[in-house]
Amino acid sequence: ATMFLSLPRFGAYKRALIATSKALGSPEEPQAWINLAQVRRMAMLFACFPAWVAALSVLVGLETVPQVLLALSTVVLLYLYRIPRQLS
């Protein structure tokens, strides 16, 4: 359930990514990169939420397998927020 908190942020990231790709080579490019960085930063904070839940679940005695799955889901979510090669 913690992964679903990241879904609205991923949509915003995709829209910012598309806007940045359209602004390449134009005078609006620097502002598009700044906007993309802001949206990406917020999205990555939400993507780390499953790892925080896994870390806090140690205190309440959650089994190891769910903790590992939560941590791996965070890695997958963070991978989704990379900058594509076409833009870098």
Side-chain angles (χ1 to χ4, degrees):
T2 57
M3 287 180 62
F4 295 115
L5 295 174
S6 179
L7 283 177
R9 302 293 183 247
F10 186 70
Y13 171 72
K14 280 179 52 176
R15 287 188 296 277
L17 198 59
I18 292 168
T20 303
S21 69
K22 288 180 181 177
L24 288 178
S26 72
E28 293 85 23
E29 183 178 358
Q31 184 58 37
W33 279 107
I34 291 169
N35 184 36
L36 178 63
Q38 290 172 344
V39 170
R40 186 176 181 224
R41 188 177 310 115
M42 183 59 66
M44 290 180 107
L45 284 174
F46 275 82
C48 290
F49 191 65
W52 281 105
V53 170
L56 293 174
S57 69
V58 172
L59 301 174
V60 295
L62 187 67
E63 296 294 324
T64 306
V65 173
Q67 289 174 350
V68 170
L69 291 175
L70 284 167
L72 286 176
S73 69
T74 297
V75 172
V76 169
L77 286 173
L78 290 175
Y79 181 74
L80 289 176
Y81 294 115
R82 72 193 188 288
I83 301 292
R85 272 190 262 165
Q86 294 87 351
L87 290 180
S88 53

